[in-house]
Amino acid sequence: MDTQLHPDTHISPDRFKRTILPAQQGAEADHSPVVIYMISGNPGLISYYHGFLSTLADRLSSLSTEQGIRSKFHIYGHSLSGFEVEESSAGNGNGSTTQPCSLEEQICFVQRKLDSFIGGLEVVGPRRAKVILVGHSVGSYIAMEVLRRHRERSDATSTSSSSGAVGFDIIGGAMLFPTVVDIALSPSGRKLTNILSFVPQLALLAGIFVRILVACVSEFILRSLVRFYMQSASLEMVTATTSFIKSKRGVRQALHMAADEMQTITADKWSDDVWGVPSAGEPLTRLFFYFGRNDHWVAERTRDDIIHMRGRHVTGGPKMVVCEEGLPHAFVLKRDDTDVMATKVAGMVMEIVQMG
């Protein structure tokens, strides 16, 4: 059951939704709503991002008032399939509640969630919702695939007589510490690949071990162990991690998905338009890529190659930045890092909205 903190906010362990109204009452009637859709990394619990999304909403509320933005903002995110900690949302949407989901199934799951959320919005007149995808880590790869498939679906709809038109436009994206190319070449990717070569059933075995552990120890002990291991993390993150470990499928799902990532996220597979490179006759999707330094999930060579091949030269193309503040890949674990990242993303969103 969602907890309604105030009329425009609904938060539960598996869901985040907040609506930001323009300062001028009724102004949104003349403007398309803007949907900011959060796609989490692995583990795919949206509760890891509650603090980030709440701060992002506060920053956007202030900036939209200052800059006179007249659109209504909807910030939304949902746990990835298999990571849900609430019984009511434990179905993975793929016809099974027991088998872990592949990366491909997660992409389809996110597509359905996004379609469903857009379908539930009240859009005034013929206006179409504008969507900005925010992806973290493997969530960035999922976001890029959602963008590619959305463009293909939109093109197919526009050239057919089908009435099932795509009811929204993806106008931009913010890819945070993106694992979009050659994840297996990263320091952690190499370690995981080596482990999987010796223990190919790692996900299943780890899942069984964790279920036995949870059954044998009290929640107090489990929470104490998590707190000891995550000494620098916020209390909110300790709570989220404890819920993740206690969930029926979370640990197995995380490792199964990670193994699939090693096999799937390899060479660059997207065309210029998906990367946000403008071309004649094609609407521009404004993309931001925020890379870390010494990111254990993104090799330095991989990051530099992406920036060289995709982030150079083109006016209006993707904007790629390498972090100078020392933010870690898992920026959500500490509140100070979360606030810095939320402020940066708010700026990206506002730039995308003003251009779109």
Side-chain angles (χ1 to χ4, degrees), residues 39-327:
I39 307 173
S40 66
N42 184 7
L45 280 76
I46 199 64
S47 52
Y48 278 126
Y49 300 87
H50 283 172
F52 167 73
L53 294 174
S54 295
T55 304
L56 175 61
D58 292 340
R59 300 287 191 272
L60 286 176
S61 180
S62 298
L63 288 173
S64 61
T65 299
E66 292 172 5
Q67 300 179 23
I69 302 298
R70 297 165 61 87
S71 296
K72 180 189 292 185
F73 287 88
H74 301 274
I75 302 177
Y76 182 75
H78 194 282
S79 293
L80 296 180
S81 183
F83 292 99
E84 301 95 338
V85 298
E86 294 180 305
E87 291 296 328
S88 61
S89 59
N92 64 13
N94 295 296
S96 171
T97 58
T98 58
Q99 296 301 311
C101 295
S102 66
L103 184 54
E104 169 63 25
E105 288 170 326
Q106 296 292 2
I107 295 167
C108 295
F109 179 82
V110 169
Q111 283 185 298
R112 290 194 297 271
K113 284 293 181 182
L114 178 58
D115 287 348
S116 176
F117 182 76
I118 298 293
L121 294 179
E122 295 182 3
V123 181
V124 179
R127 299 186 180 279
R128 295 158 61 89
K130 297 181 178 181
V131 174
I132 298 173
L133 302 174
V134 179
H136 175 223
S137 192
V138 69
S140 297
Y141 179 90
I142 295 174
M144 295 286 281
E145 272 297 295
V146 168
L147 173 58
R148 178 184 69 81
R149 298 173 193 202
H150 178 80
R151 294 180 71 88
E152 291 177 354
R153 185 170 58 167
S154 298
D155 291 343
T157 301
S158 65
T159 57
S160 71
S161 59
S162 171
S163 61
V166 179
F168 59 93
D169 299 309
I170 299 179
I171 63 170
M175 312 304 173
L176 313 179
F177 302 90
T179 56
V180 291
V181 175
D182 289 332
I183 189 173
L185 299 182
S186 67
S188 289
R190 291 181 185 276
K191 292 177 183 178
L192 179 58
T193 300
N194 289 335
I195 294 172
L196 289 169
S197 67
F198 288 103
V199 190
Q201 295 298 319
L202 177 64
L204 176 60
L205 295 175
I208 293 173
F209 172 77
V210 169
R211 297 309 304 156
I212 294 173
L213 175 66
V214 170
C216 292
V217 303
S218 67
E219 181 168 353
F220 174 79
I221 294 176
L222 179 62
R223 186 182 181 87
S224 298
L225 290 172
V226 172
R227 182 178 295 176
F228 175 79
Y229 180 74
M230 303 176 64
Q231 294 182 14
S232 60
S234 67
L235 181 61
E236 185 180 23
M237 295 300 100
V238 171
T239 299
T241 302
T242 303
S243 297
F244 163 62
I245 294 173
K246 289 179 59 183
S247 64
K248 290 184 177 180
R249 298 186 299 140
V251 172
R252 183 182 178 187
Q253 174 60 63
L255 290 171
H256 177 87
M257 183 173 161
D260 196 28
E261 291 169 33
M262 299 303 111
Q263 300 297 320
T264 304
I265 304 177
T266 53
D268 178 5
K269 63 186 66 177
W270 297 299
S271 58
D272 285 350
D273 64 315
V274 177
W275 280 98
V277 177
S279 59
E282 290 286 341
L284 175 65
T285 301
R286 181 63 165 161
L287 298 183
F288 289 81
F289 291 81
Y290 192 89
F291 292 97
R293 290 196 181 278
N294 301 312
D295 187 337
H296 57 99
W297 283 112
V298 181
E300 300 284 290
R301 174 67 180 272
T302 299
R303 179 200 66 205
D304 293 343
D305 285 348
I306 293 173
I307 294 174
H308 175 71
M309 296 300 297
R310 294 298 191 175
R312 57 179 181 169
H313 54 59
V314 181
T315 301
K319 184 174 182 179
M320 299 189 177
V321 176
V322 180
C323 178
E324 299 295 344
E325 287 90 344
L327 295 178

